[in-house]
Amino acid sequence: MSVLRLEHVTKRFGGLVAVNDLSFEVKERQIHALIGPNGSGKSTSINMINGSFPVTSGKIYFNDKDITGWKMHKIAAAGMGRTYQNLKLFRSMTALENVMIGGQLHAKMNFARFLIDPFKTKREEEELREKAMEIMRFIGIEQYADRTVGNLPYGRQKMTELARTLMIDPTLILLDEPAAGLNPNERAEFVAIIKKVYESGKDILLIEHNMDIIMNISHVITVINHGAKIAEGTPTEIQNDPEVIRAYLGDRYKIGMEGE
Ligand SMILES: Nc1ncnc2c1ncn2[C@@H]1O[C@H](COP(=O)(O)OP(=O)(O)O)[C@@H](O)[C@H]1O
Ligand SMILES: [Mg+2]
């Protein structure tokens, strides 16, 4: 079964073609990486996939269902979760509260409504709290539950955002540069968590800049440049693809240095 399929997807912002006739497929039980230089259209692709931006043309299928034009909350409710390149947390709320909001966003709730009417019933709140704690234990951040999230180290904030995404029980998770801005220790922790999430049965589409991470955890890599696909294959195939090396990897990765 195909988990996610893009068919000839294009996104124009005025005169700029941010994503250009992009087709690729995420298969079941895979960590699929989408890589490319800055500005090559990676975040725009994720934004179209989860319904943040409408496509200009083309089709997007989730579990073989045509979701082109669906609203973001409907796509989330169908089982697609995502994190953002720039964190979207309520900095003055606790980590636990931030994770709990993920459950509220499930169907029709939105942030504004949450602020007016946080939880419908005491029981609903209790259930969400328990589920959020369970997920935080799974990620390994339960000890930060009651801390104000804005005061946590950046790596913990990113883990909190990932935990929040899991509240909707997604089958597919889109991660937009999850390791960006993390120090090497935090990065190693995050890679371990991504693997754990994958092993718990979730499929993953990963945008990442750090080549060591990509080569370490992805099964398939799609490479884009100027919004268009230039290569696709296993980490080994991509590492040795002359066009990828020319457009993106440069000689640095080849000789064993980090891609950043
Ligand atoms: N909302 C937007 N409005 C106009 N241009 C945008 C918008 N979002 C992204 N772009 C442009 O689209 C191109 C691709 O951006 P993006 O998808 O963020 O790249 P990446 O994530 O690969 O770094 C860039 O030229 C960027 O400036
Ligand atoms: Mg981006």
Side-chain angles (χ1 to χ4, degrees):
M1 193 179 76
S2 145
V3 168
L4 178 74
R5 200 165 72 247
L6 275 68
E7 286 182 1
H8 304 289
V9 170
T10 292
K11 180 69 184 179
R12 285 199 194 89
F13 294 112
L16 175 87
V17 183
V19 174
N20 188 2
D21 195 30
L22 179 64
S23 300
F24 70 90
E25 182 179 354
V26 179
K27 299 215 172 84
E28 236 177 340
R29 300 316 300 130
Q30 282 192 343
I31 298 179
H32 191 120
L34 181 63
I35 71 171
N38 264 333
S40 59
K42 304 181 297 295
S43 293
T44 302
S45 298
I46 281 203
N47 284 332
M48 289 189 287
I49 292 166
N50 96 313
S52 304
F53 293 168
V55 304
T56 303
S57 62
K59 292 272 180 203
I60 301 175
Y61 297 85
F62 180 39
N63 295 328
D64 290 325
K65 192 179 287 173
D66 185 352
I67 60 162
T68 319
W70 284 26
K71 292 273 190 312
M72 198 163 58
H73 68 76
K74 193 176 169 191
I75 295 175
M80 193 192 297
R82 75 165 289 182
T83 62
Y84 290 84
Q85 188 166 355
N86 301 306
L87 287 169
K88 290 189 192 287
L89 293 167
F90 288 116
R91 295 181 55 80
S92 62
M93 289 169 61
T94 68
L96 177 63
E97 286 164 341
N98 270 280
V99 176
M100 286 169 73
I101 290 171
Q104 287 285 0
L105 287 173
H106 197 317
K108 49 207 171 301
M109 290 290 294
N110 58 47
F111 287 125
R113 172 138 175 246
F114 174 81
L115 293 175
I116 298 161
D117 178 19
F119 300 104
K120 276 198 227 78
T121 65
K122 200 76 195 152
R123 201 171 130 255
E124 187 193 33
E125 181 176 345
E126 265 323 299
E127 281 172 9
L128 281 176
R129 184 182 308 277
E130 227 155 81
K131 183 169 184 177
M133 278 309 297
E134 193 183 308
I135 289 171
M136 291 180 86
R137 273 192 294 273
F138 175 76
I139 301 280
I141 52 169
E142 73 273 20
Q143 64 271 42
Y144 305 103
D146 296 325
R147 297 267 302 273
T148 302
V149 85
N151 295 338
L152 291 177
Y154 189 63
R156 303 297 175 214
Q157 295 187 28
K158 286 220 141 184
M159 289 175 193
T160 304
E161 200 192 30
L162 176 61
R164 181 166 71 190
T165 300
L166 295 177
M167 285 293 283
I168 63 161
D169 297 319
T171 56
L172 173 67
I173 304 176
L174 318 176
L175 299 172
D176 195 349
E177 300 206 24
L182 302 187
N183 67 40
N185 279 342
E186 293 173 325
R187 226 185 268 167
E189 279 178 343
F190 216 102
V191 167
I193 290 170
I194 292 172
K195 281 184 173 164
K196 196 171 166 189
V197 168
Y198 166 73
E199 277 153 18
S200 77
K202 319 264 181 219
D203 300 309
I204 292 174
L205 176 62
L206 170 70
I207 290 180
E208 185 48 65
H209 236 65
N210 184 283
M211 290 315 299
D212 289 341
I213 292 180
I214 295 285
M215 296 301 170
N216 177 2
I217 68 173
S218 45
H219 302 108
V220 180
I221 301 172
T222 299
V223 189
I224 62 175
N225 197 17
H226 303 299
K229 180 156 97 176
I230 59 167
E232 191 163 68
T234 64
T236 313
E237 285 164 354
I238 292 305
Q239 234 168 317
N240 295 306
D241 186 300
E243 188 168 359
V244 176
I245 292 166
R246 191 168 54 243
Y248 183 45
L249 296 178
D251 293 328
R252 288 195 305 159
Y253 193 75
K254 267 189 93 185
I255 58 169
M257 284 168 65
E258 237 174 48
E260 273 188 334

